[in-house]
Amino acid sequence: MNGTIIGISGPTVTVALPGLRLYEIVRVGEAGLTGEVVRLERERAVVQVYEETRGLSVGEPVLGTGSPLTARLGPGLLAGIFDGLQRPLERLHAAQGPFMVAGGSAPPLDPLREWSFIPAKRAGDRVITGEVIGRVAEGCVQHLVTAVRDGEIAALEGGRVTAGSILVQSDSRDELDAGSESGAGGLGVVLAARVDNFGR
């Protein structure tokens, strides 16, 4: 969904973009600043922008994402430093310097960092939703990796994984990567899960 800015008052921006939902995340202006819909009116919405709005102008584009504010959870989160939008400040500082670029972002969990996955089950085992399938150590913390559905494990291997690694294959042959919540009908495990409306 595309619309335009029709008013600006500090960090609050009024946008003409029908079809938005309350708490939906929008990208505001040419820079793509992150904002959240905080009030709906007839043909417009009021957006709280979570970045500096200096330089924004009436008439600039607004893009609805269709998604609420989310947070990504998983190994690597405990040792990181993040802002309120879960942007990794250390990595952004290394890439952009001491001042963040407007609209700048990076994945909260380093997609290249490897973790050791230790399976607790093996191919052929039947599991139920919530049952522990393995673990990933982050310092002294053991992150438990659990099944998101009932099923039989067709393939599960331990070793070095990243946030996007395939961890398990179900009896229906659906592959699930380590950064997804579930699959299209099979067994699923997560190394890094999205949590909608985190902190609400």
Side-chain angles (χ1 to χ4, degrees):
M1 290 188 294
N2 294 311
T4 57
I5 297 172
I6 59 174
I8 302 169
S9 179
T12 306
V13 175
T14 304
V15 301
L17 182 53
L20 287 175
R21 295 177 296 173
L22 201 57
Y23 307 121
E24 181 175 341
I25 293 299
V26 294
R27 303 293 174 210
V28 180
E30 299 290 346
L33 305 178
T34 301
E36 182 177 23
V37 176
V38 294
R39 187 170 72 221
L40 295 172
E41 298 174 355
R42 287 185 187 268
E43 294 296 317
R44 60 188 188 173
V46 177
V47 173
Q48 170 73 46
V49 179
Y50 295 125
E51 300 183 59
E52 174 63 55
T53 58
R54 186 177 301 141
L56 273 184
S57 301
V58 170
E60 286 193 51
V62 177
L63 174 68
T65 65
S67 300
L69 187 61
T70 60
R72 183 118 186 212
L73 306 178
L77 191 65
L78 296 177
I81 299 172
F82 305 89
D83 70 359
L85 296 173
Q86 204 185 17
R87 293 180 292 196
L89 297 180
E90 291 170 315
R91 280 190 281 133
L92 286 175
H93 180 270
Q96 301 174 359
F99 300 102
M100 284 194 340
V101 174
S105 65
L109 301 178
D110 186 345
L112 303 177
R113 185 166 179 183
E114 291 188 333
W115 301 92
S116 178
F117 172 65
I118 302 165
K121 300 287 182 181
R122 57 183 163 210
D125 287 349
R126 289 208 55 83
V127 293
I128 60 172
T129 303
E131 188 171 353
V132 175
I133 291 179
R135 60 187 163 80
V136 174
E138 179 180 5
C140 63
V141 175
Q142 295 290 319
H143 296 279
L144 300 179
V145 181
T146 61
V148 296
R149 342 192 141 173
D150 297 354
E152 182 178 318
I153 297 173
L156 177 66
E157 293 186 25
R160 305 298 289 173
V161 297
T162 64
S165 297
I166 302 298
L167 291 181
V168 67
Q169 193 173 59
S170 74
D171 49 1
S172 65
R173 295 305 209 204
D174 292 318
E175 289 185 342
L176 295 153
D177 67 61
S180 63
E181 279 189 83
S182 61
L187 170 72
V189 296
V190 294
L191 173 58
R194 285 181 54 207
V195 179
D196 291 340
N197 294 323
F198 185 71
R200 287 198 187 283

